[in-house]
Amino acid sequence: MAIESEVLVVGGGLAGLTSALAATRAGADTRLVSYKQSTLRNASGLVDVLGYTPEGEGPLTDPYAAIPSLPTEHPYRTVGVEGVREAMTFFDEVGPDYRGGHTDTNALLPTHGGTIKPTARYPAGADAGLASDERDVLLVGFEAMVDFDAEHAAAHLEAAGVPFDVRGVTIRFPGELRADAKVTRYAKLLDTDGEVAVRGRNRPVRTALAERVNTELEGEARVGFPAVLGDDDAAGVRADLRAALGADVFEVPMGPPSLPGLRLEDALFDALDRAGGRFETGNPVVDSDGDGRIERVYVEKNGAKIPNSAEQYVLATGGLVGKGVDSDRETVYEPIFGCHVPHDDDRYEWFDAEAFGDHEFARFGVRTDDDLRPIGRDGGIEFDNLRAAGSVLGGYDFAAEKSGSGVSIATGYAAGRAAAEAAR
C-alpha cells in the first residue's frame, strides 16, 4: 500500500527543507524523503544570495539590484526579485538565529582561509567577526585542528586590506584532544563545560580555554575561533568566553565538516517537525511512475521498493555533487524522473581547458517554466505536478556566483508554495 500525502518533497538539503516547510505552512499535508546526509554539513553555514555576477564582477554590495541583469535562464529570473525577498523573509521567520535580515546589503565575513566572503545571512555566532568592523582581531587556532591556520588566515586578511589589525596564534586546546577529533567532540565538550586536566588539576574547559587565550591577548577587542564553539549551547559558550576574555567572541566559518551547517540542518528539521511536516531519511528514492503526471515514487527500504504517492511533487535532490544530476560518457541526466538536462552533445565541450575557466558542467541542471516545472527536450512541460528547486536546477554557477544557498531558499520556497496551492 502506498504512503500518501498531498505534497512529497524528494531531497533533504536546504532546498528540500525549505520546500517542505513552505508547503506545510501553506496548509498542505507534506512528506519529505531523503537518502544521504545533506550537503549542508559540508557548507559554511552562511546563506548567500549573490556575491558576484556571472562575469565575476564583485563582491556585490546589493545582490537584489543585480538580479534583473542576470541571464534569463538563471533561477533568480524565474522567481523574480520580490520572490527572492519573500523567500529570505520566510527563512528569517523559520530558520535559526541568523543576522543580516535588516538590510539588502551583503555582509563581508572572514573565512578560515583568510579571504573575505560576501553573504546575505550569517549565524549569530559570526556577528562580531564582520570585516566592516574596525576593531582589532586576534584569531585563535588549535594545534590539533590543522584545517584552521590562524597565522596564515591573519596574514591573508592583512594583505586583503581589512580596516583593522589582525594577528593569529595557535594554542593547545585544553584536554589535549587528538588530531583526528571530530568538530562535534570540541563542541560537545564546550557545551557541557566538561572538566579537563590542566597542569595536574581539573578545570572547566571554558575557563581553561579562556585562561590560555588570555595569555595571548594584546588588547584586541575581538577574538575569532574556529567554528566549534558548542552546538546545543553555542550562545552560552560564546557568552562565557566573552566575559572571561573581556572581548567579543566570534566563530570563523570553516570547511567540511561544518558545525554551523549541521546546526542549520538541525534547526530546519526541527522547524519542519514543529510545523507538522513528516519526513523520512536514510532510504533512497530510486524510481517513479508517470506519463505527463507523476503517479508515485518508489523508496528503497531493506531491498523492497515502497510506493509513495502524492498530488504534487518537488524535486530537490541537488546537482552533480549531490547526485541529483548524473552523467556517463555520453549524456547528462536526472536519474529519478528522467527530466531533461540540456548539455552539448560533444562531451569535450562540457569543460574548459583552464582549471578556473568557464565550465559548462557548472551550469548543468534541469530547466523549468515560470512555475518551476521541468521542461523537456521539445520545450514542453514534462510533468504537470512536478517542480524542481535548488542545485538540481541549471542555468547558473552557484560556486562562482556565491548564490547556492539563496537559490535553494528562493526556489524551494516558490516550489513548496506552488505545490501546496496546486494540491488544494
Side-chain angles (χ1 to χ4, degrees), residues 49-417:
V49 170
L50 188 67
Y52 297 86
T53 68
E55 295 75 31
E57 297 172 359
L60 298 174
T61 300
D62 183 349
Y64 300 97
I67 290 175
S69 299
L70 293 173
T72 55
E73 64 269 19
H74 198 291
Y76 280 152
R77 294 291 301 275
T78 303
V79 299
V81 175
E82 290 310 311
V84 179
R85 289 185 189 278
E86 187 176 340
M88 294 306 296
T89 298
F90 179 76
F91 174 82
D92 293 336
E93 293 172 353
V94 304
D97 187 12
Y98 269 51
R99 303 286 190 266
H102 65 290
T103 178
D104 285 349
T105 302
N106 274 329
L108 297 175
L109 270 80
T111 70
H112 69 292
T115 60
I116 299 295
K117 189 175 191 295
T119 191
R121 301 289 189 276
Y122 49 93
D127 192 26
L130 294 177
S132 56
D133 190 332
E134 297 184 359
R135 295 178 299 160
D136 293 346
V137 169
L138 174 67
L139 294 179
V140 177
F142 303 135
E143 288 182 359
M145 188 175 290
V146 297
D147 289 343
F148 181 47
D149 185 331
E151 290 88 347
H152 172 86
H156 273 252
L157 288 170
E158 287 277 12
V162 293
F164 50 83
D165 290 335
V166 53
R167 292 189 305 118
V169 297
T170 300
I171 65 172
R172 289 188 178 183
F173 188 86
E176 313 300 341
L177 293 182
R178 291 167 37 179
D180 61 350
K182 297 181 179 179
V183 294
T184 50
R185 177 74 180 92
Y186 290 88
K188 294 303 181 185
L189 185 58
L190 287 164
D191 268 341
T192 59
D193 202 16
E195 291 194 340
V196 293
V198 179
R199 292 188 293 275
R201 65 191 186 101
N202 290 339
R203 303 276 285 159
V205 67
R206 299 182 192 180
T207 300
L209 177 57
E211 288 173 348
R212 287 194 175 180
V213 175
N214 262 321
T215 64
E216 302 288 349
L217 271 172
E218 295 179 359
E220 289 90 355
R222 298 184 287 164
V223 180
F225 292 89
V228 297
L229 299 184
D231 187 6
D232 297 329
D233 187 30
V237 174
R238 295 195 308 274
D240 282 354
L241 291 175
R242 181 171 61 246
L245 296 172
D248 279 345
V249 169
F250 66 93
E251 290 185 315
V252 179
M254 298 285 290
S258 165
L259 195 58
L262 287 166
R263 293 176 191 145
L264 176 56
E265 179 182 56
D266 289 344
L268 292 176
F269 269 112
D270 287 345
L272 179 58
D273 188 39
R274 290 194 303 272
R278 295 175 290 155
F279 52 87
E280 175 186 329
T281 61
N283 297 296
V285 175
V286 293
D287 203 356
S288 64
D289 287 338
D291 182 9
R293 183 174 180 83
I294 302 297
E295 300 295 337
R296 64 190 62 82
V297 298
Y298 294 93
V299 177
E300 188 175 85
K301 186 182 298 185
N302 299 324
K305 289 185 176 181
I306 309 301
N308 284 245
S309 63
E311 289 292 320
Q312 299 289 321
Y313 297 81
V314 177
L315 173 66
T317 47
L320 286 168
V321 175
K323 295 297 184 182
V325 174
D326 211 340
S327 66
D328 54 32
R329 295 182 66 85
E330 303 299 329
T331 189
V332 184
Y333 58 95
E334 184 279 306
I336 295 176
F337 300 102
C339 295
H340 174 58
V341 177
H343 61 280
D344 198 291
D345 290 336
D346 183 354
R347 59 190 292 269
Y348 290 99
E349 295 297 323
W350 299 355
F351 55 89
D352 191 89
E354 299 293 329
F356 297 101
D358 183 22
H359 300 289
E360 182 184 341
F361 69 76
R363 295 182 293 276
F364 282 166
V366 303
R367 304 294 172 88
T368 71
D369 70 353
D370 290 343
D371 201 31
L372 292 171
R373 292 175 297 183
I375 294 174
R377 186 182 294 273
D378 61 359
I381 295 169
E382 294 189 296
F383 303 100
D384 66 10
N385 63 337
L386 174 67
R387 289 165 180 81
S391 53
V392 74
L393 297 169
Y396 74 115
D397 183 346
F398 68 86
E401 297 172 3
K402 309 302 180 191
S403 62
S405 297
V407 168
S408 290
I409 291 170
T411 58
Y413 176 75
R417 295 273 298 183

